[in-house]
Amino acid sequence: MKALVYTAPRRMELQDLPRPEPGPGEVLIKVEAAGICGSDVHGFRGLSARRKPPLVMGHELTGRVAALGPGIVDVPLEQQVVVNPLLPCDTCELCLSGRSYICPNRKLIGMDLPGAFAEYVTVPASSLYPLPEGMSPTVGTMAEPLANTVHIIRHNVFGLVQGVAILGAGIQGLLALQMVRVAGITPRISIDIEPHRLEIASRFGAKVIINAREQDPVAIVREATKGRGVDLVIDAVGADVTRQQAIAMAAPGGRVVFLGLNEVMSELDCQAIVTQELTVHGSYAYSPHDFLTALDLLASGRVEVASWLEEAPLVDGQRVFEMLADRPGEHIKAVLIP
Ligand SMILES: [Zn+2]
Ligand SMILES: [Zn+2]
């Protein structure tokens, strides 16, 4: 089968690999669409310690069931499915407490196991969800990234939330923006440095858009909220500067969620965190429940993604990765089609 193999920083090679055989409890999926995540691009640029060559990346995937491994009897062949690529152990204390997304033994398809930038991939049968009626395989790949923001809303929105600011209008930022709209939070403020992304953000209901190259985001957020700041800040970038801005624009008692992970270490204003009793916390991945909710939101059209996804053939993988790595202002999300 054809597979796109990450062989070295900035190098994606199309190779012929043996088609994998599904083991016990697994199914073989013929990949129909596989989205390129920001973390894959980060890996492509050689910046991710967790993605080491040689590796077939790709964890946002839909496809058809092509073969069943030993012991699997209840999965229809040819069924179109969405795959939840996060594989927890299901036996540790965290899994048993419902927090499988931070299971220390978890594995991610496309990082710890061969991924979906290939014609075929094997996955556990327990990770499959039927592709909702009428949903394209390309749109189905967005269940995984959307599940991350469903997770944020589920853990941070209680009662009346006055104002939200989202730093970054890339894929996660734009999905988060749609999720806070679903949650009914106003005003919604979107911050980025690329005009094209901010334009999409305003289409998705951002009342205030801030180009951080030209304006001071903290000052504008304060101005837009009569000086008080916003109850919820989501940093979908994860740089020193965005983390610092996130804390500076939170209202007293507010919540700051760190989702993006560009820098490992950052200096933060702990004076503000302590004296304004801010809740600052990281958000990672999603539960199976979040994944299912994301799929429902896409199926019902409450979250719209089709208009800003770009499809490209798997064989063009090298070019598409270069495009996403080098021109992020023009391209937000690409989905590879084998
Ligand atoms: Zn991802
Ligand atoms: Zn576990």
Side-chain angles (χ1 to χ4, degrees), residues 23-96:
E26 292 183 339
V27 296
L28 179 71
I29 299 294
K30 185 175 196 310
V31 178
E32 291 191 309
I36 300 179
C37 176
S39 63
D40 295 327
V41 178
H42 201 63
F44 171 74
R45 294 166 71 206
L47 302 175
S48 166
R50 297 183 298 169
R51 285 172 172 77
K52 295 194 187 74
L55 174 68
V56 178
M57 297 187 198
H59 56 269
E60 304 170 357
L61 73 140
T62 54
R64 268 179 205 277
V65 177
L68 308 180
I72 301 296
V73 290
D74 53 353
V75 180
L77 278 171
E78 285 298 309
Q79 179 169 51
Q80 278 188 299
V81 292
V82 183
V83 176
N84 179 342
L86 191 66
L87 311 178
C89 74
D90 286 334
T91 56
C92 74
E93 197 178 295
L94 284 155
C95 283
L96 295 177

Side-chain angles (χ1 to χ4, degrees), residues 24 28 35 75 81 108 120 146-147 154 226 242 248 253 255 305 337:
L28 179 71
V75 180
V81 292
L108 184 72
Y120 292 91
L146 180 60
R154 207 161 250 151
K226 299 193 176 71
T242 56
R255 300 178 77 89
V305 294
I337 311 293

Side-chain angles (χ1 to χ4, degrees), residues 65-323:
V65 177
L68 308 180
I72 301 296
V73 290
D74 53 353
V75 180
L77 278 171
E78 285 298 309
Q79 179 169 51
Q80 278 188 299
V81 292
V82 183
V83 176
N84 179 342
L86 191 66
L87 311 178
C89 74
D90 286 334
T91 56
C92 74
E93 197 178 295
L94 284 155
C95 283
L96 295 177
S97 72
R99 303 181 78 192
S100 58
Y101 42 91
I102 45 172
C103 164
N105 312 311
R106 68 183 182 265
K107 289 191 166 29
L108 184 72
I109 291 168
M111 186 168 83
D112 306 302
L113 300 164
F117 297 150
E119 288 178 292
Y120 292 91
V121 62
T122 53
V123 304
S126 56
S127 67
L128 304 181
Y129 297 82
L131 184 73
E133 190 79 21
M135 185 183 289
S136 76
T138 293
V139 167
T141 63
M142 296 298 287
E144 198 273 348
L146 180 60
N148 287 277
T149 48
V150 170
H151 189 68
I152 291 177
I153 298 301
R154 207 161 250 151
H155 285 88
N156 290 282
V157 177
F158 313 103
L160 181 67
V161 176
Q162 287 182 270
V164 56
I166 300 171
L167 292 134
I171 185 76
Q172 285 298 333
L174 290 171
L175 290 173
L177 185 59
Q178 294 199 61
M179 280 307 301
V180 295
R181 183 171 64 176
V182 168
I185 304 172
T186 56
R188 297 181 285 270
I189 302 170
S190 175
I191 302 149
D192 202 282
I193 52 172
E194 301 288 352
H196 170 59
R197 292 174 176 228
L198 288 169
E199 208 176 284
I200 299 177
S202 67
R203 253 205 283 140
F204 286 141
K207 184 182 162 225
V208 180
I209 56 170
I210 304 172
N211 186 333
R213 256 197 197 123
E214 295 160 1
Q215 297 168 297
D216 172 11
V218 176
I220 308 277
V221 168
R222 294 271 166 203
E223 204 177 289
T225 54
K226 299 193 176 71
R228 109 182 245 289
V230 286
D231 283 348
L232 176 62
V233 188
I234 300 170
D235 174 24
V237 180
D240 289 344
V241 61
T242 56
R243 286 174 181 153
Q244 288 157 359
Q245 288 167 344
I247 285 166
M249 60 181 64
R255 300 178 77 89
V256 176
V257 181
F258 288 166
L259 173 68
L261 191 49
N262 262 293
E263 319 261 3
V264 174
M265 305 291 286
S266 290
E267 199 170 299
L268 301 177
D269 181 355
C270 296
Q271 170 93 14
I273 295 171
V274 172
T275 61
Q276 300 187 46
E277 214 167 71
L278 302 181
T279 302
V280 180
H281 77 108
S283 184
Y284 185 78
Y286 41 81
S287 67
H289 183 203
D290 299 326
F291 196 93
L292 196 60
T293 303
L295 207 48
D296 285 346
L297 287 164
L298 288 172
S300 68
R302 293 178 81 195
V303 173
E304 194 274 320
V305 294
S307 66
W308 43 290
L309 297 179
E310 295 179 57
E311 290 182 349
L314 179 71
V315 292
D316 285 352
Q318 171 72 28
R319 180 187 63 80
V320 177
F321 265 90
E322 283 174 3
M323 172 184 101

